[in-house]
Amino acid sequence: MTSDLLAPLDLAFWNIESAEHPMHIGALGVFSARSPTAGAHAADLLAARAAAVPGLRMRIRDVWQPLGLRRPFAFGGAAREADPEFDPLQHVRLHAPTADFHADAGRLMERPLERGRPPWEAHVLPGEDGVSFAVLFKFHHALADGLRALTLAAAVLDPMDMPAPRPRPTEPPPRGLLPDVRKLPELLRGALSDAGRALDIGASVAVSTLGMRPVPALTAESTGTRRTAGVVLDLDDVHRVRKAVGGTVNDVLIAVVAGALRRWLDERGDGSDGVAPRALIPVSRRRPRTAHPQGNRLSGYLIRLPVGDPDPLRRLGTVRAAMDRNKDAGPQRGAGAVALLADHVPALGHRLGGPLVSQAARLWFDILVTSVPLPSLGLKLGGNPITAVYPLAPLARGQSLAVAVSTYRGRVHYGLVADAKAVPDLDRFARALAEEVETLITACGP
């Protein structure tokens, strides 16, 4: 049975997980149902199609023996391998009709995936109205990042014309126990460059924590409970703001989060004056058409959200300037690139240090704001079209709220995940996002 060693960042996600802090990503797709039995039919289709998708058969097992001289740091790691007992019926579940897709999704998101079998699930939620149903996909972050999860989910939806992934490059056979001496200067330069980059990132992280003032509403003690919510905005409204003040769509969407946080904090009586939470903005280092390698290829930008600024256009300007500075530096520099340090830790170090790392997230950032790409083509399941797609991000220990956003067919979808006890008013924050867009449009003028 062939095995594929987890990349260092995948291994980190696998080892920082706990029962109260599952490390799976999710997506809640809402479908328009052509019949009252569309949900049950969708569950049958998902199970039948999953059996034919190799990536969904992959389980993760521990590696406790050296895998040859060419992989000296694999001891204590983990690897993906095909599960010979894979049963898709254990991963696809049909639930009772519900009147609130997000209420059910929240309860399902707080349950960890079973680690002894392929770490993914699909939950079909028929709507009580009989004209809609939802599917909640859950993928462990060690199995897939956002782009890889999209590829796996698309494989069980109705076929569509997607660009073919580029073939995975084959690893050349070993040339001996020692590296080719002709390549030593190049290898040495690469090692020195990597070491310098790691030191730069580490120093930036240390500086970013100086004078840190955590936002209590965003970094409350974790309870392991989950609540989700979703917001749909018109992409044309976002473009209207972008064209009026410049920047990118992503700049506007991040500024909307900053403004919504200001409203939310003020309304719950926490106050927003002087508040500038640190937001981690993940950056994919994977090319969109490349499905391989399977491992996570992520870096990130760290910015301070100008929540304390009362002027909506000034908030947007601050976000734009911060994002421009990060882009100029590149995704391999700065405190936001701390995920790249995973490459410098031996597998056993990830295993032993995972619990400590999981507790350090609140020292690094206050809130996650991530963007998930979606195809512009219409997504369907059993001929039933998707009307909304809410991406859902994991919550790290000591963090109360995570924001994921995607654009699909002229609409912006914010997917919100929160600790249910720390943020019982998540729906109020969701409304604040919609209100902030209206405020920006008004501030831009006619």
Side-chain angles (χ1 to χ4, degrees):
M1 183 180 299
T2 59
S3 296
D4 179 22
L5 282 175
L6 293 191
L9 188 54
D10 298 352
L11 190 59
F13 285 135
W14 189 246
N15 283 296
I16 65 176
E17 180 177 66
S18 66
E20 296 78 21
H21 303 92
M23 289 304 299
H24 52 253
I25 57 178
L28 181 67
V30 180
F31 295 78
S32 176
R34 299 192 299 181
S35 73
T37 61
H41 179 54
D44 292 339
L45 281 176
L46 290 172
R49 292 172 179 175
V53 181
L56 296 178
R57 304 177 66 93
M58 303 301 287
R59 67 183 179 185
I60 296 176
R61 67 173 179 85
D62 293 334
V63 174
W64 285 107
Q65 68 277 357
L67 296 185
L69 295 173
R70 301 178 66 246
R71 298 282 180 94
F73 298 114
F75 180 78
R80 298 183 191 86
E81 65 180 15
D83 183 355
E85 300 178 355
F86 174 68
D87 180 3
L89 295 179
Q90 294 180 328
H91 298 263
V92 179
R93 299 167 190 173
L94 177 65
H95 294 258
T98 179
D100 189 338
F101 295 138
H102 278 289
D104 284 37
R107 289 188 289 271
L108 292 169
M109 282 295 288
E110 70 184 45
R111 301 179 188 174
L113 294 164
E114 190 169 327
R115 292 168 71 93
R117 60 190 186 199
W120 69 273
E121 292 174 351
H123 297 270
V124 181
L125 309 170
E128 284 185 351
D129 55 14
V131 298
S132 64
F133 68 90
V135 179
L136 173 67
F137 288 102
K138 294 168 57 179
F139 297 97
H140 199 287
H141 224 327
L143 179 71
D145 59 9
L147 282 173
R148 177 67 177 167
L150 173 61
T151 301
L152 293 173
V156 293
L157 297 177
D158 291 355
M160 57 182 178
D161 296 326
M162 290 283 287
R166 297 176 182 175
R168 186 176 186 178
T170 57
E171 192 172 3
R175 302 178 63 94
L177 298 182
L178 296 176
D180 189 334
V181 293
R182 293 170 297 182
K183 295 184 177 180
L184 285 177
E186 179 182 346
L187 293 173
L188 181 59
R189 283 195 300 271
L192 291 174
S193 176
D194 288 345
R197 185 179 301 118
L199 289 173
D200 174 77
I201 294 171
S204 298
V205 171
V207 170
S208 72
T209 61
L210 295 176
M212 180 196 70
R213 294 177 56 192
V215 181
L218 299 177
T219 55
E221 193 64 33
S222 300
T223 67
T225 59
R226 294 291 181 270
R227 182 187 303 272
T228 75
V231 182
V232 181
L233 307 177
D234 193 323
L235 184 58
D236 286 343
D237 289 340
V238 177
H239 279 300
R240 180 177 171 184
V241 175
R242 178 190 62 80
K243 291 176 181 177
V245 295
T248 68
V249 166
N250 201 41
D251 293 341
V252 177
L253 297 178
I254 296 171
V256 166
V257 173
L261 284 172
R262 178 179 176 82
R263 293 170 182 271
W264 178 63
L265 291 172
D266 285 344
E267 290 183 8
R268 68 191 337 236
D270 291 340
S272 61
D273 290 343
V275 174
R278 294 159 305 164
L280 176 64
I281 316 294
V283 177
S284 175
R285 296 163 56 229
R286 185 196 301 279
R287 299 192 177 205
R289 294 190 180 186
T290 305
H292 296 291
Q294 295 181 2
N296 279 275
R297 297 182 61 80
L298 291 173
S299 182
Y301 298 143
L302 197 66
I303 71 170
R304 287 195 175 271
L305 297 179
V307 172
D309 192 329
D311 187 293
L313 294 184
R314 203 160 53 220
R315 286 196 296 267
L316 176 52
T318 300
V319 167
R320 179 185 174 187
M323 290 298 290
D324 285 346
R325 286 193 298 271
N326 276 290
K327 292 172 186 175
D328 289 342
Q332 298 191 53
R333 298 286 181 183
V338 73
L340 301 181
L341 296 181
D343 293 340
H344 301 270
V345 179
L348 190 59
H350 283 293
R351 181 180 295 274
L352 298 177
L356 293 176
V357 173
S358 69
Q359 299 181 44
R362 72 168 76 186
L363 301 177
W364 177 30
F365 63 97
D366 300 293
I367 185 172
L368 178 75
V369 183
T370 184
S371 178
V372 180
L374 291 177
S376 58
L377 302 174
L379 300 172
K380 297 181 180 180
L381 179 56
N384 304 286
I386 280 186
T387 58
V389 186
Y390 303 101
L392 303 172
L395 276 183
R397 182 185 296 272
Q399 295 185 327
S400 305
L401 177 64
V403 179
V405 60
S406 64
T407 56
Y408 177 69
R409 311 204 81 179
R411 295 288 185 270
V412 175
H413 296 83
Y414 280 98
L416 311 176
V417 178
D419 185 292
K421 293 184 179 179
V423 187
D425 54 346
L426 183 62
D427 289 341
R428 182 65 199 95
F429 176 69
R431 288 194 297 272
L433 289 167
E435 293 165 359
E436 181 62 16
V437 173
E438 295 300 323
T439 297
L440 281 168
I441 290 174
T442 300
C444 290

